[in-house]
Amino acid sequence: MHVCVIGAGIVGLASGYALQQAGYEVSLVERAEAPAMGASGGNGAQLSYAYVQPLADPGIWASLPKLLLDKTSPLHMRWQLDPHQWSWLLQFLGACNAASSRATTQSLLTLAAQSRAALEATLQREQLNCDFHTPGKLVLQSTQVGLDGAARQLQLQAQLGGPQQHMVDAAEVARLEPALQHYVSQIAGAVYTPSECAIDCRKLCEALLALLRQRGAQVLLGCEVQQFQTQGSRITGVQTTRGVHQADHFVLAGGWESVPLARQLGVKRLPVYPLKGYSLTLDAGTAAEQLPRVSVTDSSRKVVFARIGERLRVAGMVEIVGADRALHLDRIERLREATHQVFPQLDIPDDLQPWTGMRPATPTGLPITGRMPGGPQNLWLQTGHGALGLTLAFGSAQRLLEALDAAC
């Protein structure tokens, strides 16, 4: 059985790898000249298996005015005459309630646990060198209100069987991560999860692509999908810039760009919208001892910090601006300033290795894996992972494999 996967980000590559391991013939089609050129290339590098608070949370209502009106806000909105944008936003706001947040949290915890098991089994089996480590994570809160909200989320996740986590005060934060000692006066407390991990997603994508090739997968890079060929309720082939490609099943794992492709095939309302993010990467070189050991998420700034090897990945921002892929250097400067304020002891180099990418998000935060109403019988969706694409990729791949096995 031949499966064509469209998209060579972490979700598409993890899916292709899982299918190939299970005995499927796999081909991979990617418009870019290399893997991980979209949202996977410069993401936050954190594997957030335990603290999975959905973006659609009831707490958004209290903070929404500040997020929309404050010039220093990590959220930037550009209103457009785009029904898809408005529909997504309305669905998102509709999901910002306690019942939806609880259900999403439970689903994400289950999928994250499945993903962790699958990724760690892959790393052990293949001995991949991707700067994987388990440094733990601190989710910092700057106010008592934020700390109380985090405590409620922690209690919910504990009730749902999530991994062990602790509330810690500012003094304990400094003990756990000495690099934060200059910042503790601005911290009310934090959530500490000792089991959280980090990895270089680009290296992981490159390693998975190499394995696919070595084991016989046809890999078409720099190959853009133009249109699909269909007969009845099935796709028979895909017309690309490098000719027609045929397969028995087709997996759309192209991130936010899966939306127009799915629309060609009758899936008119795929609820996925791009949330644009930014990152920079600091190469510490001989000063690697200055880098934090523990991964850090600063909730007030909406910025994450993760050590990968002798580099520090700093990522953040949410821009709801449609298909605008431009890298705005003022956003990178804000990430640099945040790094200096949180870790003033770091010697920040001039080369910040700036990046921007479009995270494909659903209104609830739950990814979409499987068939969609209106689509062909042999079309499978694998998108909508938002900021948790790296965390959830391998679990989603296992679910896709289970669904395909059942269908075949």
Side-chain angles (χ1 to χ4, degrees), residues 58-69 73 302:
I60 197 74
W61 294 104
S63 56
L64 195 58
K66 179 177 174 63
L67 286 172
L68 290 174
L69 300 175
S73 168
K302 300 294 188 290

Side-chain angles (χ1 to χ4, degrees), residues 74-349:
L75 172 67
H76 174 66
M77 174 84 69
R78 185 186 304 153
W79 301 102
Q80 298 176 320
L81 294 175
D82 177 7
H84 185 54
Q85 183 193 59
W86 285 83
S87 173
W88 189 93
L89 287 169
L90 288 172
Q91 291 178 70
F92 169 76
L93 291 174
C96 293
N97 61 78
S100 178
S101 181
R102 179 186 177 90
T104 299
T105 296
Q106 184 167 29
S107 297
L108 289 176
L109 283 172
T110 302
L111 181 56
Q114 186 177 9
S115 196
R116 179 174 197 148
L119 172 58
E120 293 184 358
T122 300
L123 294 174
Q124 183 175 14
R125 179 171 55 246
E126 306 292 358
Q127 294 296 297
L128 303 181
N129 180 17
C130 306
D131 293 322
F132 174 80
H133 61 138
T134 307
K137 183 169 76 170
L138 286 161
V139 180
L140 309 181
Q141 300 291 340
S142 62
T143 67
Q144 189 59 47
V145 171
L147 202 60
D148 292 343
R152 289 191 294 272
Q153 180 68 14
L154 217 62
Q155 184 179 25
L156 170 61
Q157 294 185 178
Q159 292 170 357
L160 298 174
Q164 185 179 20
Q165 300 175 86
H166 319 286
M167 299 298 299
V168 295
D169 61 18
E172 182 66 3
V173 167
R175 189 192 70 78
L176 290 165
E177 179 46 74
L180 286 168
Q181 61 182 327
H182 302 291
Y183 193 59
V184 291
S185 63
Q186 300 184 52
I187 300 171
V191 176
Y192 176 55
T193 312
S195 62
E196 296 287 54
C197 310
I199 195 170
D200 187 324
C201 188
R202 185 183 295 276
K203 285 187 177 181
L204 178 58
C205 287
E206 291 169 349
L208 291 172
L209 183 70
L211 288 173
L212 284 166
R213 274 179 163 156
Q214 289 168 13
R215 295 167 185 174
Q218 182 182 11
V219 176
L220 301 173
L221 300 179
C223 182
E224 187 166 357
V225 171
Q226 295 175 319
Q227 64 181 20
F228 291 91
Q229 299 176 347
T230 60
Q231 184 174 351
S233 61
R234 296 184 66 82
I235 305 170
T236 57
V238 58
Q239 176 71 50
T240 75
T241 49
R242 293 168 62 179
V244 176
H245 191 70
Q246 295 179 324
D248 299 304
H249 292 270
F250 294 82
V251 177
L252 275 186
W256 69 279
E257 292 175 300
S258 295
V259 174
L261 294 177
R263 194 175 292 130
Q264 288 185 30
L265 293 164
V267 182
K268 301 298 184 183
R269 296 184 180 180
L270 185 61
V272 174
Y273 194 83
L275 302 184
K276 187 176 180 182
Y278 292 83
S279 78
L280 57 85
T281 307
L282 307 179
D283 192 342
T286 57
E289 71 281 356
Q290 297 181 357
L291 296 179
R293 297 168 299 176
V294 179
S295 291
V296 174
T297 295
D298 190 327
S299 295
S300 63
R301 300 177 186 275
K302 300 294 188 290
V303 176
V304 304
F305 304 88
R307 180 169 180 164
I308 43 177
E310 295 186 350
R311 293 161 294 140
L312 181 67
R313 176 66 49 77
V314 184
M317 312 288 180
V318 174
E319 291 189 343
I320 303 177
V321 293
D324 178 10
R325 306 185 200 210
L327 193 156
H328 299 289
L329 292 179
D330 62 316
R331 311 291 196 272
I332 299 299
E333 177 59 22
R334 284 174 57 185
L335 289 178
R336 189 200 68 78
E337 290 174 359
T339 306
H340 176 70
Q341 290 164 359
V342 177
F343 300 108
Q345 76 281 6
L346 289 182
D347 183 15
I348 300 177

Side-chain angles (χ1 to χ4, degrees), residues 374-395:
Q377 292 180 357
N378 58 342
L379 172 68
W380 303 85
L381 275 296
Q382 189 70 299
T383 186
H385 294 71
L388 292 173
L390 175 58
T391 297
L392 303 177
F394 281 77

